[in-house]
């Protein structure tokens, strides 16, 4: 524990009572968790009986990497460092029999969820619009995060609309179970329900996890809190680390109140505050402290630093958003050249993804490298997933997730009721959905028309699979198959605009081109690149692309304030510091300014050396130039620590910077 301050050491060494570590921004909370894991192991607790939970795969990987440097050889064997949802999926797969599932549980993504809900809404109410589907999906997610089952929703809801959603929620729950599937929110809800109704199963997991550590505890929702309470049980051997000032996920159910609730549920709870910041200058911390002091607090804390006082925070004003983009990029160019910095030292943060468009344009015009964190992966587009799901099912007929995605894409008049009955039959027989389509026993569960549609789909997949495996030009055949099923017509029907449909078809063509290059690259004179090899290669590329954010290249980082939490950069530019953007109009309407203030606080505390806040007097909204007001948060900052007249670079300086940059490149 060399180098830990007294509060960090106290947090590491306390293992005999429940502990809340109130960790301010940049106070070394991840180090406390990793050091505590090592301390527990050295105190005699086997690593296999320790679990550390966080919210992102990236954070879990970083934590695992740090622990591996503290423990050696077999010391770390069996240690669990994962996200909440990874733990939940592990519990479901290990306890599938008790839950009435087959072993190969399918995980539905948001698109799969929407597809099932569309089918159910078609059956129940006929006509609907996309916003209605999204409303139903969001409400069902909210209920699951608030630990409300479909049965409870049916009983408790009095509003007619919510009662209608509750009925769809019940149908949706039944459908997923028949498909042997769960959605993302089920990964927490179902383990909690399992533990509550099966004490023996709960005891088994409590014996397996004898000490629990939870990072970013302020981001837990009610269902996650229930899971923590059940796992730690009466012994309450746990450490949770959190900061109510950085709770910025209310929109997905996070409850910072869970921090205060710990004191009620665990009277022996000890609280240790980490207030020394190792990241930012004193001036940045002073400004951040002033801002967040305007929020009410259950736990008071005040960040401080032994680092230099630092430069004032600069406030840049622009006449419109185009000028804002140009000036911010010019400021970065100028600062980089004058200080010999690297591109990766700079981050541009914003409230919404749409704000990045003009910034990207300005960066491209100057040939400056950048990376958008949290951007959409190519493999996450629905049309790309559709085509890959066809290939997966051609390659492996037992892939239930692929079957469910494409069986009615494009529409084959195979509805939710048909699939529910098929799924129930397949689960009872312990066979795949594809195999169940061809069984005589299905006659007892389905009428002739839906059964024949399933049989036709089954036979079509079987025939095309055989063709694809022997076809000399697989890509040409795949393109023919997509044309045969009318996939481009389906995209036109499924898209809101002609432009969207065209973009989606371009993505499909890009995927086919990519597949062709893969085949050419991997086919040798002596060996053909099989369909199975092709699918495996594509799934690996998907994984590699999802890990792209772990790479550290010399690029300017662009990201939303939500995506920036947990990160740090020497120089931060926070753009769009205006009313209706930060704070957001929705939050103003709902009276939820406190979370927006926390969001601004998170943005400011990402900065290590300099922080620049930028706003416009006019901004284009829906193609119309509208007048803007500076954010109310600017008035809450200590004015003596702000440099409000951030000098704009002249045209000559911009030209000189650009020429110098070209020389360096």
């Amino acid at each position: 524990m060399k180098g830990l301050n007294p509060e960090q050491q106290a947090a590491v060494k306390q293992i005999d009572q429940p502990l809340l570590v109130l960790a301010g921004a940049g106070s070394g909370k991840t180090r406390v968790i990793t050091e505590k894991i090592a301390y527990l192991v050295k105190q005699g607790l086997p690593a296999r009986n320790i679990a550390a939970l966080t919210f992102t795969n990236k954070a879990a990987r970083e934590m695992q990497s740090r622990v591996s440097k503290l423990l050696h050889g077999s010391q770390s064997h069996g240690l669990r460092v994962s996200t909440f949802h990874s733990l939940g999926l592990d519990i479901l797969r290990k306890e599938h029999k008790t839950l009435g599932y087959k072993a190969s549980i399918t995980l539905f993504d948001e698109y799969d969820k929407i597809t099932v809900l569309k089918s159910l809404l078609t059956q129940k109410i006929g006509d609907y619009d996309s916003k209605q589907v999204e409303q139903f999906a969001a409400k069902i997610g909210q209920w699951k995060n608030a630990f409300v089952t479909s049965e409870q929703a049916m009983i408790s809801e009095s509003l007619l609309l919510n009662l209608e959603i509750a009925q769809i929620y019940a149908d949706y729950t039944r459908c997923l179970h028949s498909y042997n599937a769960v959605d993302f929110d089920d990964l927490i809800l179902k383990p909690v329900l399992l533990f509550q109704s099966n004490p023996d199963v709960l005891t088994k997991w409590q014996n397996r996890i004898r000490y629990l550590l939870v990072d970013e505890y302020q981001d837990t929702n009610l269902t996650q809190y229930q899971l923590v309470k059940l796992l730690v049980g009466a012994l309450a051997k746990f450490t949770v680390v959190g900061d109510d000032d950085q709770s910025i996920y209310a929109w997905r159910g996070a409850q910072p109140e869970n921090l205060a609730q710990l004191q009620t549920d665990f009277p022996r709870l000890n609280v240790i505050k980490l207030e020394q910041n190792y990241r930012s200058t004193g001036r940045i911390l002073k400004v951040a402290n002033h801002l967040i002091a305007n929020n009410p607090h259950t736990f008071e804390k005040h960040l401080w630093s032994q680092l230099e006082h630092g430069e004032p925070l600069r406030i840049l004003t622009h006449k419109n958003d185009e000028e804002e983009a140009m000036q911010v990029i010019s400021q970065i160019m100028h600062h980089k050249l004058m200080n010999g910095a690297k591109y990766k030292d700079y981050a541009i943060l914003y409230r919404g993804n749409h704000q990045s468009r003009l910034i990207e344009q300005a960066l491209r015009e100057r040939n400056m490298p950048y990376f958008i964190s949290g951007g959409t992966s190519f493999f996450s587009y629905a049309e790309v997933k559709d085509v890959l799901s066809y290939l997966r099912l051609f390659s492996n007929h037992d892939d239930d997730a692929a079957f469910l995605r494409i069986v009615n894409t494009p529409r084959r008049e195979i509805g939710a009721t048909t699939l529910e009955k098929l799924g129930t039959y397949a689960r009872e027989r312990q066979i795949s959905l594809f195999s169940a389509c061809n069984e005589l026993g299905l006659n007892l569960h389905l009428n002739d028309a839906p059964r024949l549609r399933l049989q036709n789909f089954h036979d079509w997949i079987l025939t095309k699979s055989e063709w694809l495996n022997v076809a000399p030009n697989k890509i040409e055949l795949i393109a023919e198959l997509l044309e045969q099923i009318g996939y481009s017509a389906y995209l036109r029907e499924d898209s809101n605009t002609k432009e969207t449909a065209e973009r989606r078809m371009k993505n499909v063509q890009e995927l086919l081109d990519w597949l062709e290059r893969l085949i050419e690259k991997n086919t040798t004179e002596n060996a053909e690149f099989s369909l199975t090899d092709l699918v495996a290669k594509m799934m690996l590329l998907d994984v590699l692309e999802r890990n792209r954010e772990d790479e550290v290249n010399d690029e300017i980082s662009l990201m939303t304030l939500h995506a920036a939490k947990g990160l740090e950069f020497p120089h931060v530019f926070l753009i769009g510091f205006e009313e209706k953007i930060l704070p957001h109009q929705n939050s103003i309407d709902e009276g939820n300014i406190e979370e927006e203030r926390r969001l601004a606080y998170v943005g400011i505390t990402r900065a290590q050396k300099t922080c620049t806040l930028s706003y416009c007097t006019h901004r284009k909204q829906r193609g119309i130039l509208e007048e803007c007001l500076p954010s109310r948060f600017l008035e809450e900052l200590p004015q003596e620590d702000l440099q409000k007249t951030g000098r704009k670079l002249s045209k000559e300086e911009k030209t000189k910077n650009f020429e110098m940059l070209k020389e360096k490149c």
Side-chain angles (χ1 to χ4, degrees), residues 127-140:
D127 293 334
Y128 61 87
D129 58 39
S130 57
K131 286 186 178 179
Q132 196 172 7
V133 182
E134 291 169 6
Q135 182 183 19
F136 275 54
K139 186 63 180 177
I140 290 170

Side-chain angles (χ1 to χ4, degrees), residues 298-318:
T298 303
F299 304 98
E300 293 292 339
K301 68 178 184 304
H302 191 84
L303 292 181
W304 60 276
S305 173
Q306 289 183 335
L307 302 176
E308 62 180 348
H309 191 53
E311 300 177 19
L313 278 72
R314 293 189 304 156
I315 312 295
L316 299 181
T317 310
H318 314 281

Side-chain angles (χ1 to χ4, degrees), residues 313-433:
L313 278 72
R314 293 189 304 156
I315 312 295
L316 299 181
T317 310
H318 314 281
K319 64 182 180 183
N320 57 49
D321 43 357
E322 290 183 358
E323 184 186 86
E324 178 182 51
M326 301 269 295
Q327 284 290 340
V328 165
I329 300 309
S330 295
Q331 291 285 342
I332 290 176
M333 288 173 63
H334 181 73
H335 189 276
K336 178 181 182 298
L337 290 167
M338 295 302 104
N339 294 275
K342 297 182 180 297
Y343 286 116
K344 65 182 179 182
D345 294 337
Y346 299 90
I348 302 174
L349 311 181
Y350 35 80
R351 179 65 174 83
N353 280 310
H354 66 280
Q355 293 172 259
S356 71
R357 185 180 61 83
L358 291 174
I359 296 290
E360 288 182 73
Q361 184 178 315
L363 287 166
R364 284 196 299 269
E365 286 175 359
R366 289 158 179 77
N367 201 29
M368 296 167 70
Y370 67 92
F371 172 60
I372 301 181
S373 179
T376 304
S377 162
F378 178 71
F379 293 97
S380 69
Y381 288 118
E383 57 274 13
V384 173
K385 284 187 173 185
D386 288 345
V387 177
L388 287 178
S389 292
Y390 270 100
L391 296 182
R392 283 165 53 191
L393 194 59
F394 287 142
S395 172
N396 174 17
H397 299 330
D398 293 331
D399 190 332
D400 282 351
F403 178 96
L404 286 168
R405 185 173 190 95
I406 64 170
V407 68
N408 208 33
T409 304
R411 294 172 184 84
R412 297 182 175 90
E413 298 182 34
I414 300 173
T417 301
T418 299
L419 290 174
E420 183 182 343
K421 291 177 180 178
L422 175 70
T424 300
Y425 176 77
R427 196 174 71 252
E428 289 171 354
R429 294 272 294 118
Q430 291 291 298
I431 57 176
S432 70
L433 294 168

Side-chain angles (χ1 to χ4, degrees), residues 55 84-85 188 219-228:
F55 282 86
F84 267 94
H85 294 90
I188 310 298
D219 292 336
T220 55
N221 58 42
L222 187 57
T223 311
Q224 287 163 336
Y225 183 42
Q226 294 297 324
L227 181 61
V228 169

Side-chain angles (χ1 to χ4, degrees), residues 140-185:
I140 290 170
Q142 288 169 11
W143 273 327
K144 290 187 179 184
N145 288 333
F147 196 47
V148 177
T149 64
S150 57
E151 295 84 358
Q152 291 168 334
M154 291 281 287
I155 296 169
S156 63
E157 289 300 336
S158 56
L159 287 174
L160 190 59
L161 174 61
N162 282 352
L163 186 57
E164 187 178 37
I165 300 175
Q167 291 168 340
I168 294 293
Y169 180 15
D171 294 338
Y172 172 72
T173 301
R174 194 178 63 251
C175 275
L176 256 62
H177 194 260
S178 70
Y179 300 163
N180 204 59
V182 294
D183 65 21
F184 197 65
D185 299 318

Side-chain angles (χ1 to χ4, degrees), residues 469-482:
N469 276 312
V470 298
N473 192 330
K474 289 180 172 52
I475 303 307
E476 191 174 300
L477 182 54
I478 293 168
E480 286 178 14
L481 294 178
L482 292 175

Side-chain angles (χ1 to χ4, degrees), residues 3-134:
L4 296 182
N5 65 39
E7 290 77 21
Q8 290 173 327
Q9 287 192 34
V12 168
K13 290 182 177 179
Q14 186 186 296
I15 58 176
D16 56 351
Q17 67 185 96
L19 175 65
L20 165 60
V21 179
L22 204 67
S27 61
K29 65 181 178 62
T30 304
R31 186 176 179 192
V32 165
I33 293 173
T34 53
E35 290 278 2
K36 186 154 194 171
I37 291 170
Y39 183 76
L40 286 164
V41 171
K42 289 167 185 175
Q43 291 298 305
L45 182 64
R48 65 178 178 275
N49 296 131
I50 302 171
L53 303 180
T54 186
F55 282 86
T56 67
N57 290 319
K58 184 176 181 180
R61 288 193 294 269
E62 181 186 349
M63 203 179 291
Q64 182 77 64
S65 174
R66 291 200 196 184
V67 172
S68 65
K69 295 173 183 176
L70 299 172
L71 298 175
H72 306 287
S74 61
Q75 283 184 316
S76 61
H77 182 68
L79 173 69
R80 178 188 296 277
V81 180
S82 73
T83 63
F84 267 94
H85 294 90
S86 293
L87 171 63
L89 184 59
D90 193 28
I91 293 170
L92 295 185
R93 284 178 171 161
K94 283 184 168 62
E95 309 298 339
H96 68 274
K97 289 183 180 178
T98 307
L99 288 159
Y101 283 91
K102 291 187 295 181
S104 54
I105 294 175
T106 297
L107 179 59
F108 271 25
D109 63 17
E110 194 65 21
Y111 180 87
D112 299 324
K113 176 180 178 180
I114 292 291
T115 301
V116 175
L117 289 174
K118 282 181 178 178
S119 181
L120 290 171
L121 285 169
T122 300
Q123 287 181 199
K124 293 286 184 181
I125 64 176
D127 293 334
Y128 61 87
D129 58 39
S130 57
K131 286 186 178 179
Q132 196 172 7
V133 182
E134 291 169 6

